[in-house]
């Protein structure tokens, strides 16, 4: 039963799928097996959250996102003048010092009114001279891949410029272990504005 409706499956197929068109996070799902064999239920949900309604979360890793000016002072990004330089700094630390976190992926998507600066990226690592294994820089995002040793904190700094006037949405920043679904952190997105001089 899902959302008050009953669905009955009687099949010899290995897998069956039920598509629910009216489904949200408050919908209750109950599965009853009338046979002796085991069944496995997998629940998949797709869609785009409403702007600003994403839920911040930290599981086995902490993430702190700050925005700074070139002098490393905190910067209010809610309203910036065209040409304002921005440093997006993400500090990532493990909640456990007894294990190494491998194959970490940090994805930062920036508002359409911001440009990644020509100087591109400065990365600082508290544990390694290589800082990160690979970095993919696109028009609107930077994806950084790295391993985290047993101690230390990974810090990634992206230099940007507020370039195009308008009101833009900045999606959440996310860090995750690519092959371990229990290690991840995400923040909340927000609206930003770039105004003319």
């Amino acid at each position: 039963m899902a959302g008050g409706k009953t669905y009955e499956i009687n099949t010899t197929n290995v897998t069956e799928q039920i598509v629910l068109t009216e489904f949200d996070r408050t919908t209750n799902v109950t599965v009853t097996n009338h046979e002796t064999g085991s069944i496995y239920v997998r629940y998949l949900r797709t869609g785009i959250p409403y702007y600003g309604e994403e839920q911040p979360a930290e599981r086995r890793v902490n993430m702190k996102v700050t925005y700074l000016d070139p002098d490393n002072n905190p910067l209010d990004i809610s309203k910036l003048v065209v040409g304002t330089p921005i440093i997006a700094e993400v500090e990532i630390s493990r909640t456990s010092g007894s294990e190494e976190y491998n194959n970490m992926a940090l994805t930062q998507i920036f508002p359409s009114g911001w440009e990644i600066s020509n100087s591109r990226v400065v990365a600082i690592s508290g544990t390694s001279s290589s800082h990160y294994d690979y970095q993919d820089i696109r028009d609107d995002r930077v994806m950084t891949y790295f391993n985290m040793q047993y101690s230390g904190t990974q810090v990634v700094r992206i230099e940007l410029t507020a370039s195009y006037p308008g009101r833009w949405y900045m999606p959440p920043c996310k860090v995750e272990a690519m092959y371990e679904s229990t290690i991840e952190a995400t923040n909340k997105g927000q609206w930003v504005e770039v105004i003319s001089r």
Side-chain angles (χ1 to χ4, degrees), residues 68-70 75 80-87 117 159-162 197:
L68 309 167
D69 67 15
L75 185 65
L80 298 170
V81 175
V82 167
T84 302
I86 308 159
I87 298 172
S117 299
E159 295 181 7
L160 307 119
T161 305
R197 292 184 182 276

Side-chain angles (χ1 to χ4, degrees), residues 160-192:
L160 307 119
T161 305
S163 301
Y164 305 105
R167 186 169 181 257
W168 314 98
Y169 189 72
M170 178 163 54
C173 178
K174 182 170 186 173
V175 65
E176 60 189 329
M178 292 188 290
Y179 307 110
E180 175 53 75
S181 62
T182 64
I183 301 174
E184 65 174 350
T186 185
N187 68 349
K188 191 171 184 175
Q190 72 175 91
W191 287 98
V192 298

Side-chain angles (χ1 to χ4, degrees), residues 6-166:
T6 301
Y7 301 86
E8 188 171 327
I9 298 174
N10 185 3
T11 183
T12 57
N13 294 338
V14 176
T15 63
E16 283 292 332
Q17 179 177 338
I18 297 175
V19 178
L20 305 173
T21 54
E22 296 179 15
F23 196 84
D24 61 37
R25 62 181 158 201
T26 62
T27 302
N28 290 323
V29 176
T30 303
V31 178
T32 304
N33 183 4
H34 297 288
E35 299 295 330
T36 57
S38 298
I39 61 170
Y40 302 94
V41 178
R42 192 166 71 153
Y43 157 71
L44 301 174
R45 194 172 123 193
T46 61
I48 301 171
Y50 290 114
Y51 290 133
E53 291 192 5
E54 309 92 353
Q55 296 300 311
E58 290 183 335
R59 297 191 313 154
R60 295 178 62 196
V61 66
N62 298 321
M63 180 179 70
K64 180 182 174 187
V65 181
T66 54
Y67 298 92
L68 309 167
D69 67 15
D71 297 322
N72 290 318
N73 298 312
L75 185 65
D76 179 7
I77 61 168
S78 60
K79 185 179 281 190
L80 298 170
V81 175
V82 167
T84 302
I86 308 159
I87 298 172
E89 181 179 274
V90 181
E91 182 179 313
I92 303 151
S93 57
R94 293 182 329 280
T95 57
S96 169
S98 63
E99 58 183 314
E100 186 173 357
Y101 288 11
N102 292 313
N103 303 303
M104 299 294 290
L106 170 65
T107 303
Q108 296 169 271
I109 304 174
F110 298 106
S112 299
W114 295 6
E115 255 185 357
I116 299 170
S117 299
N118 288 338
S119 57
R120 295 293 175 147
V121 177
V122 177
I124 304 165
S125 170
T127 60
S128 170
S129 60
S130 62
H131 309 314
Y132 52 83
D133 298 320
Y134 180 72
Q135 197 160 57
D136 187 3
I137 302 170
R138 306 287 178 96
D139 290 339
D140 66 341
R141 69 194 64 201
V142 177
M143 293 163 286
T144 307
Y145 303 93
F146 55 93
N147 293 320
M148 295 186 73
Q149 307 300 324
Y150 294 99
S151 62
T153 298
Q154 182 79 16
V155 178
V156 177
R157 291 166 61 100
I158 310 293
E159 295 181 7
L160 307 119
T161 305
S163 301
Y164 305 105

